[in-house]
Amino acid sequence: MTDTLDERSWVILSATVTGYIRMAAPVGSRAVNRLFGLSYSPATIRNVMADLEEIGYLTHPHTSAGRIPTPKGFRYFVDNSDFSKGALPAGTPKLESLLEGVLSDASPVDLLDVLSTVMNLVTRITHYTGIVMESGVRNGERLLSFEVLPLTERSLLAVLITETGMVLKKVIMIPEGLGAAEVIALGEDLNTGFRSCTLVRIREMLMKEIEHLGRAYVEFFSQVLSVSRQPELKLFRTSSFTDLPEFSSAATLREIMVMFEEEAALFRIFEELVHEERGVSVRIGSENPLPALQPCTLVAIPIMNRNVWLGSIGLIGPVRMQYDQVIPLMVYLSRRLNQWVEETAPLLPLGP
Amino acid sequence: MTDTLDERSWVILSATVTGYIRMAAPVGSRAVNRLFGLSYSPATIRNVMADLEEIGYLTHPHTSAGRIPTPKGFRYFVDNSDFSKGALPAGTPKLESLLEGVLSDASPVDLLDVLSTVMNLVTRITHYTGIVMESGVRNGERLLSFEVLPLTERSLLAVLITETGMVLKKVIMIPEGLGAAEVIALGEDLNTGFRSCTLVRIREMLMKEIEHLGRAYVEFFSQVLSVSRQPELKLFRTSSFTDLPEFSSAATLREIMVMFEEEAALFRIFEELVHEERGVSVRIGSENPLPALQPCTLVAIPIMNRNVWLGSIGLIGPVRMQYDQVIPLMVYLSRRLNQWVEETAPLLPLGP
DNA sequence: GTTAGCACTCATCGATGAAGAGTGCTAAGT
DNA sequence: ACTTAGCACTCTTCATCGATGAGTGCTAAC
């Protein structure tokens, strides 16, 4: 499958892909010849293109049109290009200095905010849609503080803070047969008793305790146990697709918009990517699971702190994405953000 | 301006508007006559329509087309219709029971979540775009708890909880010349000293104190003072516009998508609406400030607790919105949600 | 093995014209 | 005086047609 192309074929494939990225339209033999000043004549290029089409790297919308790279063609292009010295998108130096500013007085405790700010900037530069995701509850985290506060006559507010600064809150109805003061005292016991235990461990221990206690206590504890935190997802510049000719029809735009509303599906994608790759993931066209993502490329990186997944950021654009700019940019972001997290984040647990 | 129409004109205006809402296309005299079984002949209707056009309630895309209501026409229609006994949209009974379920075991402490759940349901029924907004810091709120917790060697986490259950958190760098323990003790003083003072008051008092204290202390306090909370905004089913013929062009869709990314502008709109009206606000077409909102109608209600604005919810749809369904629905939601908040919310402050 | 030449294909675009919906006016009806 | 039927007229929509031009694939010459 992954045949290695000879030099000439590679040059022509590469030129076709680059041309298509630039023009957003099928590129013909003549265009490849002229645009890239190749020494091969259009006729030769045509022959090579026909070969490339046979291996499945290029297609033909119709007889008299130029060639379009297939996802497979893009994949070969991405895998075999050396982007390391590629020019970052215009505005990157500015981004870098802004990024340093953002990171210097922020803490990973506010990860979602920081990543949002970053992707906001990034989408301004790249003109693709940005995604920021923060993973949900991380059960391995340790308890930093647990507090129960009076809210109304019948309810209390339980606030649970983990060592990474995650704040979980939950309104607790005062169980029948218990007074507010009693419940608060109970909360204080919990706070002192379980401090710096992991959340899973606390749950386990509470489960055991529950048997020995009365009904009312059980009710209180089970309410406490249900404190959780949903993963969060934010999108930036979803309107970027409206600028692209291949998404100029209302129908395709509709597909995209509907897809962006399926937060659960998007979340799953990032979850899967994290299990597969730790660096920059590139999913081109049909490599994406969602139908609506098939005309798109997703470039994503996870944000990790010592093997614990905190969240991810990604860019979604057309298949003819400016890989030469986006990939180096994401490599850079991955390195910088993960370094920042490791350096400034509160300690994370080692075991589960 | 607000001429009162005679019976016949009103019937015909009303039929035209209703017809246009239903057909999404200019409606002609014949259609009005047939569709609504009016006793006036097409010719008469034509005459009346010409009159209505002269007063500015209807327009003409071109000579041989039917009539379209102007925003002014819609406004008259909305103001003079009695929607009170109008049928709620299909699925409303189900919504009501779901709503009761949601409200029964939720607290206004999680207002954003609750409103999000509600609007998620509502947008499923109405097929319009939903907006949920939670207002930001409410300085009049009283302090319920303030806690400083160790996070890393050089930083602490300050967690501030207000009486409405809002949790504000902020990472505080340990000021030079102070130890972590000292800072934590300082936080505890603050907690006991200022409990149940309003946030503004606390800020005022801290400002005064600051003068008497050393550099390091000042630094700590000023970090604490900067704790704040941004307003939040969520959109639901923005793709609803893709189903409407009047937004079927990619260009108009683009406008809509870009507008929905302008969170600040949307926020401002809700802020202004709250100052103007306490019930259901209806902004039709050109009555909206944003250019991109001109082909839209916004129906919004604020969520209040004793004159304190907690947030808003709204529906955005085409100008030819199903007012007869949406308005009663929003009236109902306004009543039910505000009642719920007043009944179950933690006490809110009276003065500033 | 490479390239020039040429016939052929096919999408795009503008012009043309028929169809159809709806108006506005006039004149007749009540 | 108000209402309605009739009819010419307007203007959009849609399909058809043909010209245009880009680009290919093949063949034959280099």
Side-chain angles (χ1 to χ4, degrees):
Chain A
M1 258 318 187
T2 317
D3 327 271
T4 307
L5 299 178
D6 60 287
E7 181 63 14
R8 190 178 63 176
S9 300
W10 164 245
V11 168
I12 289 176
L13 173 63
S14 165
T16 311
V17 172
T18 311
Y20 180 65
I21 288 175
R22 191 137 68 209
M23 320 296 288
V27 13
S29 53
R30 200 180 148 68
V32 166
N33 169 275
R34 252 188 333 177
L35 251 68
F36 299 87
L38 297 190
S39 54
Y40 317 106
S41 76
T44 310
I45 293 174
R46 273 204 291 282
N47 287 331
V48 177
M49 279 174 148
D51 295 347
L52 287 171
E53 185 163 358
E54 217 158 338
I55 343 178
Y57 288 166
L58 298 177
T59 355
H60 235 177
H62 55 88
T63 345
S64 74
R67 296 306 207 294
I68 290 181
T70 61
K72 197 177 156 195
F74 275 112
R75 166 57 61 196
Y76 190 96
F77 173 76
V78 168
D79 287 346
N80 292 82
S81 292
D82 178 19
F83 296 128
S84 66
K85 52 198 166 195
L88 286 163
T92 306
K94 182 137 193 209
L95 172 72
E96 288 183 21
S97 74
L98 284 171
L99 180 62
E100 294 308 322
V102 170
L103 296 189
S104 70
D105 58 30
S107 159
V109 166
D110 303 306
L111 187 67
L112 190 68
D113 290 341
V114 172
L115 295 183
S116 297
T117 309
V118 171
M119 286 313 278
N120 211 334
L121 295 170
V122 168
T123 53
R124 257 174 242 276
I125 292 176
T126 60
H127 300 283
Y128 296 128
T129 294
I131 292 200
V132 168
M133 218 217 65
E134 189 184 42
S135 74
V137 211
R138 298 184 286 264
N139 279 320
E141 292 192 37
R142 291 204 170 78
L143 182 68
L144 193 57
S145 153
F146 180 76
E147 208 176 354
V148 179
L149 298 161
L151 205 61
T152 68
E153 293 97 38
R154 288 168 302 149
S155 67
L156 300 163
L157 183 70
V159 180
L160 191 155
I161 304 169
T162 73
E163 63 187 324
T164 61
M166 276 221 166
V167 177
L168 310 176
K169 65 178 179 177
K170 166 100 185 162
V171 177
I172 292 188
M173 303 312 290
I174 300 178
E176 293 218 16
L178 252 65
E182 253 176 299
V183 179
I184 294 177
L186 220 53
E188 249 162 69
D189 290 350
L190 219 154
N191 184 31
T192 49
F194 290 122
R195 195 168 279 225
S196 76
C197 294
T198 65
L199 296 189
V200 260
R201 180 131 179 68
I202 293 175
R203 290 204 175 142
E204 281 168 14
M205 291 169 79
L206 282 179
M207 285 304 226
K208 271 188 219 153
E209 296 263 17
I210 274 180
E211 294 168 16
H212 310 305
L213 299 164
R215 233 185 105 71
Y217 288 84
V218 171
E219 208 180 309
F220 167 73
F221 284 127
S222 59
Q223 287 190 63
V224 169
L225 280 173
S226 71
V227 174
S228 73
R229 190 190 147 108
Q230 297 305 313
E232 300 244 25
L233 193 138
K234 282 193 180 188
L235 294 165
F236 298 86
R237 209 187 169 102
T238 54
S239 67
S240 70
F241 283 92
T242 60
D243 298 329
L244 304 168
E246 57 265 62
F247 293 90
S248 63
S249 96
T252 43
L253 276 185
R254 188 202 143 79
E255 294 243 309
I256 295 287
M257 289 181 80
V258 170
M259 176 196 66
F260 282 141
E261 282 168 7
E262 292 286 332
E263 301 209 343
L266 291 174
F267 190 68
R268 216 173 310 124
I269 290 176
F270 281 97
E271 227 162 16
E272 279 163 19
L273 280 182
V274 154
H275 292 133
E276 289 173 26
E277 267 171 275
R278 285 300 161 87
V280 179
S281 308
V282 181
R283 286 283 169 281
I284 301 171
S286 50
E287 296 169 5
N288 287 299
L290 261 58
L293 264 181
Q294 313 254 314
C296 303
T297 284
L298 166 67
V299 182
I301 57 174
I303 308 298
M304 316 279 297
N305 187 5
R306 307 166 190 220
N307 284 331
V308 178
W309 178 44
L310 305 182
S312 294
I313 58 179
L315 282 174
I316 299 184
V319 170
R320 50 173 205 93
M321 187 180 259
Q322 301 246 26
Y323 295 98
D324 58 332
Q325 300 186 355
V326 167
I327 289 178
L329 178 59
M330 292 299 269
V331 168
Y332 158 68
L333 285 177
S334 175
R335 202 172 30 219
R336 189 63 191 89
L337 288 173
N338 280 304
Q339 178 202 348
W340 168 72
V341 167
E342 300 244 341
E343 278 175 4
T344 60
L347 281 185
L348 262 180
L350 304 166
Chain B
M1 256 325 188
T2 318
D3 326 272
T4 308
L5 298 178
D6 60 286
E7 181 63 15
R8 190 178 62 178
S9 301
W10 164 245
V11 168
I12 290 175
L13 173 62
S14 165
T16 311
V17 171
T18 311
Y20 180 65
I21 287 175
R22 192 138 65 207
M23 319 296 290
V27 14
S29 53
R30 199 179 148 68
V32 166
N33 169 275
R34 254 188 331 179
L35 251 68
F36 300 86
L38 297 190
S39 55
Y40 316 106
S41 75
T44 310
I45 293 172
R46 274 203 291 282
N47 287 332
V48 177
M49 279 174 147
D51 295 347
L52 287 170
E53 184 162 1
E54 217 159 335
I55 342 177
Y57 288 166
L58 298 177
T59 355
H60 234 175
H62 56 87
T63 346
S64 74
R67 298 304 208 294
I68 291 181
T70 61
K72 199 177 153 194
F74 276 111
R75 167 55 62 195
Y76 190 94
F77 172 76
V78 168
D79 287 346
N80 293 82
S81 293
D82 177 19
F83 296 127
S84 66
K85 52 196 165 195
L88 287 163
T92 306
K94 181 137 193 207
L95 171 72
E96 289 183 21
S97 73
L98 285 170
L99 180 61
E100 295 308 322
V102 170
L103 296 189
S104 71
D105 58 31
S107 160
V109 165
D110 303 307
L111 188 66
L112 190 67
D113 291 339
V114 172
L115 295 183
S116 297
T117 309
V118 171
M119 286 313 278
N120 212 333
L121 294 171
V122 168
T123 53
R124 256 173 241 278
I125 292 177
T126 61
H127 300 284
Y128 297 129
T129 295
I131 293 200
V132 168
M133 218 216 67
E134 188 182 43
S135 73
V137 212
R138 300 184 285 262
N139 279 321
E141 291 192 36
R142 292 203 169 79
L143 183 68
L144 193 58
S145 154
F146 180 77
E147 207 177 355
V148 179
L149 299 160
L151 204 60
T152 69
E153 292 98 38
R154 288 166 303 149
S155 67
L156 301 164
L157 183 70
V159 179
L160 189 155
I161 303 169
T162 73
E163 61 186 327
T164 62
M166 277 221 164
V167 176
L168 309 175
K169 66 178 180 177
K170 166 104 185 160
V171 177
I172 291 188
M173 304 312 291
I174 300 179
E176 295 218 14
L178 250 65
E182 253 176 299
V183 179
I184 293 176
L186 219 55
E188 250 164 68
D189 290 350
L190 218 153
N191 184 30
T192 49
F194 290 123
R195 196 168 278 227
S196 76
C197 293
T198 65
L199 296 188
V200 262
R201 179 129 181 70
I202 293 175
R203 288 199 178 145
E204 280 168 16
M205 291 169 79
L206 282 179
M207 283 306 226
K208 272 188 217 151
E209 296 262 21
I210 274 180
E211 293 168 16
H212 309 304
L213 300 164
R215 233 184 103 72
Y217 289 85
V218 171
E219 208 179 308
F220 167 72
F221 283 127
S222 58
Q223 286 190 63
V224 170
L225 280 174
S226 71
V227 174
S228 74
R229 191 192 145 106
Q230 298 304 312
E232 299 246 26
L233 193 137
K234 282 193 179 185
L235 294 166
F236 298 86
R237 209 188 168 100
T238 54
S239 66
S240 70
F241 283 92
T242 59
D243 298 329
L244 305 169
E246 58 265 62
F247 293 89
S248 63
S249 96
T252 44
L253 275 185
R254 187 202 144 79
E255 295 242 308
I256 295 287
M257 290 182 80
V258 170
M259 177 196 66
F260 282 140
E261 282 167 7
E262 291 286 332
E263 300 210 345
L266 291 174
F267 190 68
R268 216 174 309 124
I269 290 176
F270 280 97
E271 224 161 18
E272 279 163 19
L273 280 182
V274 154
H275 292 132
E276 288 173 26
E277 268 170 274
R278 285 299 162 86
V280 179
S281 307
V282 182
R283 287 282 170 280
I284 301 170
S286 50
E287 295 169 7
N288 286 300
L290 262 60
L293 265 181
Q294 313 254 312
C296 303
T297 284
L298 166 69
V299 182
I301 57 173
I303 308 297
M304 318 278 299
N305 187 6
R306 310 166 188 221
N307 284 330
V308 178
W309 178 44
L310 306 182
S312 293
I313 57 180
L315 282 173
I316 299 184
V319 169
R320 52 172 203 96
M321 186 182 261
Q322 302 246 26
Y323 296 98
D324 58 331
Q325 301 186 354
V326 167
I327 290 178
L329 179 60
M330 293 299 268
V331 168
Y332 158 68
L333 286 177
S334 174
R335 202 174 30 222
R336 188 64 191 91
L337 289 173
N338 281 302
Q339 180 202 345
W340 168 72
V341 167
E342 300 244 340
E343 278 175 6
T344 59
L347 281 185
L348 262 178
L350 304 165

